[in-house]
Amino acid sequence: MKKCVLVSGGAGFIGSHVTVELLEAGYDVIVADNMSNCDMTCFEGVKKITGREDIPFVKMDFCDPVATELLFTTHEIDAVIHFAGFKAVGESVAEPLKYYRNNLESFINVIESAKAHGCGNILFSSSATVYGEPEKLPVTEESPRQPATSPYGNTKQMCEDILRDSVKAYSGIRGIALRYFNPIGAHPSALIGELPRGVPNNLVPFITQTAIGKRECLSVFGNDYPTPDGTCQRDFIDVVDLAKAHVFAVRRMLEDKMKNEYEIFNIGTGKPLSVMELINGFEKANSLKLNYKIAPRRPGDVTAIWADPTLANEELGWKAERDIEDTLAAAWAWEKHIAGE
Ligand code: WQD
């Protein structure tokens, strides 16, 4: 019997890439999403990439405990990957209650129904944001979490804790938190990718929108950081590589290979890249020139963060493989695809 994975928030940027990888690895997938931050573009893209017209899709809100319960009653679910949540850092500062209610309630409902239906395998999409401004680089899973600087970041920490405590308290539940570094890029088919609403906050969507002429000029937020070229350093991880990590993690749970009932893995490349290096890489990969200027620092940005991915490499058997230029070419192909070029 094929195992079935529920992907909450599965119509979004990362969820859609994970759905593709799960289907290609032979799992059945149920996609559930309230569509609050996306349209059907990516779900339709998933169907095209995989050639599967029959992927179950449920439009629902995980903040609704009755709808969540109904989903678990009507489907045999073996594992859940929980993406559903709000993710705009700035908005979370302006509207903290919206973030706490949505991100915590939805996850609590998922765990509660999973528990009630004997579906004990829960994977949470966490973030490197939990490390704050790290004292030592690269960061390992043992590096201390720092107090969150935004309600969004705080919900990531709190959801990790909710999962950890649930695993401890209730038998039959185990959990994995994957801490993503900076997911970028798009599927090589250019049929799924990131679709930010309004002005993008993140670097790569801003770059591609500038390159295509939707934005006039990219602002590089600060070139006076104590880094080799003065711009911030990040661990940019290709979204397809990132998606594959989920397949390894799900398999680890379903095949009973976990060493602890609650495990955490960094999902990154282990290689820092500065904002300027990324811009140069984008220009080179796509043979174009980007209009950018140096602007003041953005409040809240950490100087540098990158992963030590050894644990994921050794325990999950997963490794980031895609070349950064391929990743940046895919991001550009996707931008052109949505512009209809
Ligand atoms: C990367 C670098 C900016 C835009 C955030 C969240 C994190 C996670 C991923 C997701 C920084 C610089 C950016 C621009 C720029 N959350 N930059 N000009 O801040 O590392 O992480 O996204 O849901 O939790 O905090 O990513 O892409 O916003 O920025 O110079 O127009 O690019 O200053 O140094 P960040 P980012």
Side-chain angles (χ1 to χ4, degrees), residues 14 86-89 127-130 149-150 152-153 156 180-184 194 200-207 217-222 225 231-236 274-275 278-279 293 295-298 300-303 305:
I14 301 175
F86 295 148
K87 58 170 190 175
V89 178
S127 166
T129 191
V130 302
T149 52
S150 72
Y152 160 76
K156 288 292 178 197
Y180 313 151
F181 282 68
N182 286 58
I184 60 164
E194 203 167 356
N201 292 309
N202 296 116
L203 180 60
V204 170
F206 208 105
I207 287 178
C217 182
L218 168 75
S219 293
V220 174
F221 297 138
Y225 283 96
T231 63
C232 294
Q233 293 173 302
R234 295 288 183 273
D235 186 332
F236 295 100
S274 74
V275 171
L278 191 92
I279 293 171
K293 62 169 193 251
R297 291 182 179 193
R298 181 173 71 176
D301 276 339
V302 302
T303 301
I305 182 161

